[in-house]
Amino acid sequence: MENNNHPLLICVGRQIGSGGRVIAQRLAKEFGCQFYDSELLNLAAKESGFSEKFFKQNDEHKGFFRTLLQNHGRSFSMGSFYQSEFSEESLFKFQCDAIAKAAAEGPCVFVGRCADYVLRDEPGMVSIFVTADDDDRIHRAMERHQCDYDTARHKIESGESQRATYYNYYTGKRWGHSACYDLCVNTSRLGIEATAQFIAEFIRHIKNL
């Protein structure tokens, strides 16, 4: 969907277990947009010529190369990574290029990966952050990972710490902070489906669709 020749670009940040990815899929269907989540990693790999596995291991995770060195020791050289432009920063740049290229081709919904920052100057961009109450998020994680309450809580805390560090580092903003988005919404108030409808109406209103 386009307005005044500007393609609609919806960027959805989300807490783990909030239902943000499902909502993003609903919005893509509602507005006839291409949906990008992990698909971006494949695009970035094709653009860069690097293996997709490196993008997956670095996905919204600042510190991938430190982990790689810890796991493989002397078999990897950090200096050679940077000399060959194979670094976290270069992977991020390739991913940014993939986001920009996808956005130039038409209306899109992007999940995470700093897309709101990459597309911040695009007139058609709207940024959303999806959250939910802790218990709701933990129980969704329990169901998804088939684990107990404490394990699910730990997965959420660890995952969100990595996600926040990644976002804050590359954008200079604060992940999940209301001032960084056009709309922040808690799915525990309306439920997933009604929240998706609420966000769609919000987008229609501010973009005159």
Side-chain angles (χ1 to χ4, degrees):
M1 182 174 290
E2 298 186 6
N3 181 40
N4 298 324
N5 298 319
H6 299 305
L8 179 62
L9 305 170
I10 304 172
C11 300
V12 180
R14 72 288 183 221
Q15 283 191 302
I16 295 173
S18 66
R21 188 179 191 277
V22 174
I23 286 173
Q25 290 174 318
R26 299 285 193 280
L27 294 174
K29 183 177 180 180
E30 178 75 19
F31 291 104
C33 297
Q34 185 69 41
F35 176 80
Y36 291 100
D37 185 4
S38 58
E39 294 83 358
L40 280 171
L41 306 181
N42 179 261
L43 289 178
K46 288 180 179 178
E47 289 295 307
S48 67
F50 290 133
S51 170
E52 186 178 350
K53 71 177 182 180
F54 291 113
F55 289 91
K56 288 182 177 179
Q57 288 172 300
N58 193 53
D59 190 24
E60 295 188 301
H61 179 188
K62 190 74 179 71
F64 158 64
F65 282 93
R66 181 173 62 253
T67 302
L68 191 67
L69 288 173
Q70 289 171 347
N71 289 342
H72 297 279
R74 294 183 180 179
S75 62
F76 290 92
S77 166
M78 184 64 82
S80 65
F81 279 136
Y82 280 92
Q83 289 169 9
S84 65
E85 297 185 349
F86 190 90
S87 65
E88 290 177 353
E89 280 67 27
S90 62
L91 290 179
F92 179 73
K93 183 182 184 303
F94 287 127
Q95 185 169 274
C96 290
D97 291 344
I99 291 171
K101 182 176 181 180
E105 293 177 352
C108 300
V109 173
F110 298 98
V111 178
R113 296 171 181 84
C114 304
D116 59 316
Y117 177 76
V118 177
L119 302 173
R120 62 193 180 281
D121 295 326
E122 294 294 331
M125 196 275 284
V126 55
S127 58
I128 309 294
F129 190 82
V130 181
T131 184
D133 292 350
D134 287 349
D135 273 352
D136 288 341
R137 296 194 297 120
I138 290 170
H139 281 97
R140 286 194 187 102
M142 289 171 63
E143 183 176 350
R144 178 180 180 182
H145 298 288
Q146 295 296 295
C147 61
D148 62 28
Y149 188 93
D150 288 339
T151 300
R153 181 174 59 185
H154 176 74
K155 284 181 177 291
I156 287 174
E157 290 173 352
S158 176
E160 291 192 346
S161 176
Q162 293 173 359
R163 193 172 286 178
T165 298
Y166 181 90
Y167 183 89
N168 297 350
Y169 177 85
Y170 285 114
T171 70
K173 301 193 294 181
R174 287 176 58 192
W175 180 78
H177 192 276
S178 60
C180 299
Y181 307 91
D182 295 314
L183 176 68
C184 295
V185 61
N186 186 325
T187 59
S188 295
R189 300 296 170 264
L190 296 175
I192 300 296
E193 294 298 333
T195 299
Q197 294 172 12
F198 173 81
I199 295 173
E201 287 304 313
F202 172 81
I203 292 171
R204 288 192 182 94
H205 181 75
I206 67 169
K207 295 300 181 183
N208 297 314
L209 298 176

